[in-house]
Amino acid sequence: MATVDELEQALRRIDGRQYGAYKDLPRDAGGARLRLRIDHVQGDPFAAPSRLALRVPLGRAGWPAETLADPERALALRDLLARRLAVVCRDASRSRGSGKSGVVTSDAPGQQILDTTAVTLSADAVEARIRVGLPAQGRRVRGREAAALLLETLPALAEDVLLASSWDPDQVEAHLDAYVDHCALVREVEAREWVGFVAEDSLLPRASGVDDQPLEGGLRFMAPEALRETVELPHAGTVHGMALPRGVTLIVGGGYHGKSTLL
């Protein structure tokens, strides 16, 4: 593994050369606090951005061992980190030359908490995987811009996302607890032989056909008495809602009245 100084020297050495010189950079660089790994170098400033990984030792990241040992909470933590990663990447992204120079992106989760490879947790490290447009002027390397991006912007980004000390503990616990409750509800639905459960007061309408955020000011869900049931969840406690039993259930209504949204 190359040192940070060696990577900086390499970037300055290729400054002004043809873009392909980026392929000569050390693919793994850093130190005990942070490692930068280059998994793929784009062939052209107008091509899809390069793929990089930012890796922080688990001891420095500071996430509780009990969280990492629990599969449900660990998955929810990766999801939460991936959400902030997408935001800080967007904020760090700016033009640094031709084509996609200076673009910084990552995979942004939607409303569902799903397993992700944008952020990974292993026995010794937490890692963020991003895409970065390596800077160019025309088709020549902008080594100094690349040094600022790789050695200043990205390390600050990694610390903002991957270190537990950068987070509000209450925000983290709320996100993890919500996913644990979801998993418990799935098990309860299966045990009671329901096909689904919709909690009372849920906000089901989406902002638009291309935006799955909740609709601001939308009507809250009210469970019909005939299908009303109660479940006990580990963190939310007693939750009332509509349980659909196995069998045939008809969902009827006019156009744009929420049938598809409910499904």
Side-chain angles (χ1 to χ4, degrees):
M1 181 175 65
T3 66
V4 172
D5 288 342
E6 288 171 338
L7 176 58
E8 183 175 12
Q9 291 168 12
L11 287 166
R12 295 183 183 280
R13 190 164 54 247
I14 65 173
D15 187 38
R17 291 174 54 186
Q18 289 294 322
Y19 197 82
Y22 272 125
K23 295 183 181 293
D24 298 332
L25 291 176
R27 293 302 181 98
D28 195 1
R33 296 172 61 82
L34 174 72
R35 289 174 63 179
L36 170 67
R37 189 181 71 243
I38 303 175
D39 293 328
H40 170 74
V41 177
Q42 65 203 91
D44 184 278
F46 298 90
S50 303
R51 296 194 300 272
L52 280 66
L54 301 164
R55 188 176 180 88
V56 173
L58 208 54
R60 183 177 179 232
W63 297 105
E66 56 270 24
T67 296
L68 305 181
D70 184 319
E72 292 178 359
R73 299 184 77 79
L75 188 155
L77 177 60
R78 294 197 303 273
D79 173 89
L80 181 62
L81 300 186
R83 291 175 189 275
R84 179 180 284 188
L85 178 64
V87 173
V88 299
C89 282
R90 182 191 63 208
D91 293 344
S93 185
R94 66 176 179 84
S95 176
R96 293 176 182 263
S98 306
K100 295 182 173 63
S101 296
V103 167
V104 184
T105 64
S106 71
D107 291 333
Q111 284 294 295
Q112 297 80 17
I113 295 179
L114 302 172
D115 204 355
T116 178
T117 57
V119 175
T120 63
L121 290 166
S122 65
D124 59 351
V126 55
E127 180 176 292
R129 297 169 180 175
I130 60 177
R131 293 179 293 275
V132 177
L134 297 175
Q137 189 62 47
R139 284 182 167 80
R140 293 190 177 274
V141 171
R142 297 190 72 186
R144 296 181 184 277
E145 280 288 341
L149 176 59
L150 299 182
L151 305 180
E152 297 174 17
T153 302
L154 296 190
L157 179 156
E159 294 197 349
D160 186 24
V161 174
L162 302 180
L163 301 187
S165 58
S166 299
W167 288 83
D168 176 356
D170 291 339
Q171 178 190 5
V172 174
E173 283 304 303
H175 191 81
L176 273 55
D177 289 350
Y179 184 67
V180 170
D181 279 350
H182 162 77
C183 294
L185 179 58
V186 169
R187 290 191 290 270
E188 188 73 10
V189 166
E190 292 174 348
R192 298 203 197 185
E193 298 189 336
W194 298 336
V195 295
F197 180 88
V198 183
E200 185 82 6
D201 208 37
S202 293
L203 184 55
L204 302 179
R206 302 295 91 185
S208 73
V210 296
D211 184 352
D212 68 355
Q213 294 290 322
L215 176 66
E216 186 175 349
L219 292 177
R220 299 279 178 169
F221 179 76
M222 296 174 57
E225 283 300 324
L227 297 175
R228 189 178 179 86
E229 295 283 356
T230 300
V231 295
E232 294 290 334
L233 301 179
H235 301 286
T238 303
V239 177
H240 305 285
M242 178 182 73
L244 294 179
R246 288 186 183 178
V248 177
T249 300
L250 300 181
I251 302 172
V252 299
Y256 299 95
H257 282 175
K259 301 184 298 299
S260 298
T261 297
L262 180 60
L263 288 173

